Amino acid sequence: LHTIPNKQFTTIMTKEGNEKKGAKVFKNKCSLCHTIEAGGSQKIGPNLHGFWGREAGKAEGYPYYTNALKRSGIIWEDDELFGYVRDPKKHLKGTEMFYVGIEKPQMRKDLIAYLKSSCAA
């Protein structure tokens, strides 16, 4: 957390993320509910292929988004995902994603590096 007079912001550097470690994080924490390959199946959660840079709640063919997510205006990029995967329910009130989150910042950076490279449209 960086502090500037009267402002606080978080700097996320995904270049510090390790894609190989991120693949393990995805497998252990995300793959039960999500797939990432093009044309992959929808599970409990949507397929994540092409989600990077897309507005939340807009994946074609996934009907179970909450109104909170559909109306959020969130664009899936570094900072947004960094906060969301830490604690989805705190990050976005009204989301129903059943997931406790990833507390460790480095694990989140690794996951983000993996998702950026693996989920590009």
Side-chain angles (χ1 to χ4, degrees):
L1 186 66
H2 301 280
T3 304
I4 293 179
N6 300 321
K7 288 194 176 196
Q8 292 186 344
F9 60 94
T10 304
T11 301
I12 311 306
M13 292 188 254
T14 57
K15 66 182 176 193
E16 294 177 8
N18 180 304
E19 290 178 36
K20 188 174 180 179
K21 289 180 180 180
K24 290 179 184 177
V25 174
F26 182 85
K27 182 180 179 186
N28 293 328
K29 303 273 187 184
C30 310
S31 66
L32 179 65
C33 298
H34 296 281
T35 58
I36 59 168
E37 53 281 327
S41 63
Q42 310 288 358
K43 290 183 165 184
I44 295 167
N47 174 284
L48 298 178
H49 183 78
F51 91 105
W52 198 262
R54 181 174 65 208
E55 188 174 349
K58 305 293 183 192
E60 196 170 310
Y62 184 76
Y64 304 113
Y65 289 114
T66 61
N67 286 331
L69 195 60
K70 288 190 281 189
R71 296 176 184 156
S72 69
I74 288 173
I75 303 296
W76 293 124
E77 294 178 341
D78 293 7
D79 292 337
E80 198 66 55
L81 194 58
F82 191 80
Y84 190 80
V85 298
R86 180 176 185 189
D87 189 336
K89 290 183 178 183
K90 273 189 179 177
H91 189 76
L92 179 64
K93 300 294 183 205
T95 193
E96 294 177 6
M97 183 172 167
F98 182 72
Y99 177 68
V100 295
I102 300 171
E103 183 65 32
K104 294 180 179 178
Q106 189 59 51
M107 286 179 73
R108 286 183 275 151
K109 288 179 184 182
D110 294 342
L111 176 62
I112 289 168
Y114 173 70
L115 292 174
K116 281 177 82 170
S117 69
S118 301
C119 297

